[in-house]
Structures are given as C-alpha cells and as structure tokens.
C-alpha cells in the first residue's frame, strides 16, 4: 500500500506556529491531506511531550496512534474518509505518528559561527524520555521553544544520541537554506564531513527543503550515496504534506526500523518518490533583498557583485546559487538509481488562483477545498490520482485545468527570495484560464 510520510513540522509550542496544532487536529488534517505517518514534532518541549505521552499509544513498533482518535470527517454519501468508499488511505484512526523533532544548534567550529538545524528521529517514547533528560541535565532550555536552541556541535550531539540509543538518527533539515542549515551560504559547511566528522557515516539522508528539489541536489556527486527526503516544515496543519515522502509498503512491515533501513540501505524499491514544492516557490530560491523587493538569478548577482541593485547592501544569496557553487556536474534528468520526485502545487493555492483571489484562507476557497475533499478523497488523491474529468465534474473547469497544468509542469513562478515565498501563476496572459478564453470569444 502507498504510505505517505511527513516527518518535519512543528507544534503550537514553537515560535510563530498556529494554535491549531494539537495532536487531534493534526490527525484530522492528515486524513484530509492523505498523510499516513506524521512526525510528532517538538518532542523536547515538556508540555507537548506530556500531551504525546497522554494521547498516543504505540500501535506498531515505533509508530504511535491516537488513543481516542477524533471522529473522521464524512465523505459525501456518509462513509468515513478513507473508509470503504475511499481508497483505503487516510482514515483518521489510521494516522500514525513517529517520534521526530527539529533542534536549532548554534556553535563555533573552525573559527566560524555555525547555525544548523537538524531533525532527530527516535524509535520510541522511552528513547525520547532519555534524550530529554540528557538535554535538561546539560542545562539546555527546552521550555521556551518547541524547537530548542542548543549550543552544541553537530558531531558531538550525534555521538551522544547514539550512546542513548543506537537506533536514533539525525537528518540535516532544509539542507540549503542560507541562515540555518548544513550547506547554508551564511553559516553552514561545504561538506557533510566538515559538519559531522566521524559521525557523517550515519548521515543516511538530508532534507532538501522547500527551495531546492532533488534534481538540483543530484548535481553534487558527493551526495550520490545520500537519500533525499522531503517534509513540509509546516507551522500550521493546513500545510502538512506540502512536501512529503511516498513509500510502497506492506502493512505488516510498517515500523520505525523499516523506515530507517530504507534510508540506510538506499532502498529505491520501497521508497517510490518524494513530493516537492516547485523549488522556485520556496522563500530562499533566488538571490535578493527583501527590504527593496529586489531579486535576481545567480548570473546577475555576479554582475552586481552580490549587492542589491537598489540599496547596494549585500543580498541574501539563495539556494540556487549555493547549490551551483558546490555542484560538480550538470544534470538534466534524475539518475535511474535515485528516488524520483513529483512537483505539486497545494490544492488550496490552485483553487485560489482559479477563483482569482490572493488568499488561500478566503471563505470561498475553503468551502471549495472542503467540498472537493468530501467528494473526491484526500488532497493527495486529488493532486496525484483522480482523473481530470472527474475533478471537472465535481469542482469546475478552471480548477480541473489548473490541476492538469500542475501535473504537466505547465505553470509560471516568480521565484522566492530573502524570506519571501515565490508566487505561482497557473493562468497567465500567455496561458489564460479556460473561462478567460471563453469570455474573449463572447
Ligand atoms: Zn528549521
Ligand atoms: Zn536592497
């Protein structure tokens, strides 16, 4: 069966995160989105961890579910989402959670200040208890943020975690973002070895982040033996699964260890593909200056000497430039021995664009989103599987055409830069919506 995982997100105890992030809401949103396995996030936070212990029960080895799952939204016709009428995925009671968290590390190495975000995967609540005790004993403040700031070197952190439980792994988070990542242009490293030293042999995967896609990453031959994973890094349940990992697994094989084995052994038979943002949409794809609203691509950055054309201050160098700086080859298609990917645009964005409204939180957009989910299945079913004709029958022609163009990559994007998200344009002057075309004929 198809299993979709999203391992990196945050709880309501992390800075700038939605109050809606409760375990109960998270399970409901996973059903809507079609995410089968979600990271718990933020397990170092005492209040959030207390909720995890109180509300979750181990269901399969290292995989937890809600003790009292909330009632599933009903599909039209009265069956439970993901139930008999669905495709067998996404029922709220079947949503499982895995112990994952992100930590922010700030430390000096080789005479430079490093700011690195890492994701920690832990095999059980018991292992998390030990991690939290060790971190508290070291005097780190775990209470003020769900993503705690730790003044500890990445290699040292990994060594200690392996001593606590050798099934724990670290995956560098959003590996290319300028300010907080292992390869970041501002305070990262040029290689995994520089960052993790002798522990780099236990780095099985890196997270590509929203601003880069696997194809870009594969232009570095040093990453040939590293898996690329994708997660939402969501700060609100609405964004779960905007990037995700898709596996083909038997129900009986589902466990924490199975996923770690797949990453460790580069099992491309079971790791089918990742689901990606168009990287241009990510908020650090191009180079730019948010203050002046100025962005450009790396070639122009060079001509400008790295400075903003308007205020002349240094621009924030984005992921595209940083990847090409470290790349040692040009790649046009994904190598056959690597996990492929599919690029999506979140359904709410497609609906908003087809209605010609800017905000996805508009009532009209939300009403259409909910009705499509009730009628057609989870968001992933709609984006990936359901036929365009069926979508047209249950929503409208413009939304169906929007999904069609997303599936074929026929969209335009103003790239994101310096913390500002890119903007997707499915319907442009060159490729107008079917309705706009009709209007012209009339
Ligand atoms: Zn982060
Ligand atoms: Zn500027």
């Amino acid at each position: 069966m198809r299993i979709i995982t999203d391992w990196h997100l945050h709880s309501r105890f992390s800075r700038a995160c939605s109050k809606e992030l409760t375990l109960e809401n998270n399970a409901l949103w996973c059903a809507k989105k079609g995410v089968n396995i979600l990271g718990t996030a933020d397990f170092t936070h005492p209040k959030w961890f207390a909720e995890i212990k109180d509300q979750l029960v181990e269901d399969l080895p290292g995989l937890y579910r809600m003790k009292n799952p909330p009632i599933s939204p009903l599909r039209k016709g009265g069956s439970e989402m993901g139930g008999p009428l669905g495709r067998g995925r996404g029922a709220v009671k079947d949503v499982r959670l895995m112990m994952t968290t992100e930590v922010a590390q700030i430390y000096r190495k080789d005479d430079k200040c490093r700011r690195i975000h890492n994701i920690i995967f832990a095999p059980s609540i018991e292992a998390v208890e030990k991690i939290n005790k060790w971190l508290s004993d070291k005097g780190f403040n775990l209470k003020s943020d769900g993503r705690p700031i730790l003044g500890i070197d990445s290699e040292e952190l990994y060594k200690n975690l392996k001593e606590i439980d050798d099934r724990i792994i670290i995956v560098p988070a959003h590996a290319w973002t300028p300010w907080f990542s292992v390869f970041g242009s501002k305070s990262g490293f040029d290689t995994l070895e520089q960052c993790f030293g002798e522990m780099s042999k236990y780095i099985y995967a890196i997270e590509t982040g929203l601003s880069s896609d696997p194809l870009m990453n594969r232009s570095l031959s040093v990453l040939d033996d590293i898996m690329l994973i994708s997660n939402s890094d969501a700060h609100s349940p609405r964004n779960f699964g905007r990037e995700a990992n898709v596996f083909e697994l038997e129900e009986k094989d589902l466990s924490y260890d199975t996923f770690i084995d797949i990453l460790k052994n580069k099992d491309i038979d079971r790791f089918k593909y990742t689901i990606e943002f168009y990287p241009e949409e990510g908020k650090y794809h191009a180079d730019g200056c948010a203050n002046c609203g100025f962005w450009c691509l790396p070639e122009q950055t060079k001509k400008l000497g790295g400075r903003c054309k308007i205020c002349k201050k240094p621009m924030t160098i984005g992921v595209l430039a940083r990847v090409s700086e470290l790349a040692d080859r040009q790649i046009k298609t994904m190598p056959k021995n690597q996990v492929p990917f599919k690029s999506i645009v979140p359904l709410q964005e497609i609906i908003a664009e087809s209605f010609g409204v800017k905000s996805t939180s508009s009532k009209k957009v939300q009403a259409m989103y909910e009705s499509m989910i009730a009628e057609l299945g989870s968001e992933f079913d709609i984006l990936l599987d359901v036929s365009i004709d069926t979508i047209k029958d249950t929503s409208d022609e413009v939304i169906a055409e929007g999904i069609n163009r997303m599936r074929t990559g026929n969209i335009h994007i103003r790239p994101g830069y310096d913390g500002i998200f890119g903007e997707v344009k499915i319907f442009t002057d060159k490729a107008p919506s079917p309705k706009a075309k009709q209007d012209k004929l009339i």
Side-chain angles (χ1 to χ4, degrees), residues 8 10 102 117 147 173-174 233:
H8 177 187
H10 290 281
E102 184 189 35
H117 288 189
R147 180 185 54 204
H174 41 72
D233 199 354

Side-chain angles (χ1 to χ4, degrees), residues 288-294 307-315:
C289 170
N291 275 343
C292 301
F294 175 76
R307 290 180 177 271
C308 168
K309 203 172 175 179
I310 298 160
C311 70
K312 314 287 181 210
K313 287 187 189 145
M315 282 186 279

Side-chain angles (χ1 to χ4, degrees), residues 9 33 36 69 164 167 174-175 199 212 251 257 267 305 318 320:
L9 50 132
K33 292 279 178 175
N36 308 94
I164 289 170
R167 292 153 73 208
H174 41 72
M199 297 308 282
S212 85
E251 171 96 15
D257 288 333
D267 184 348
L320 185 62

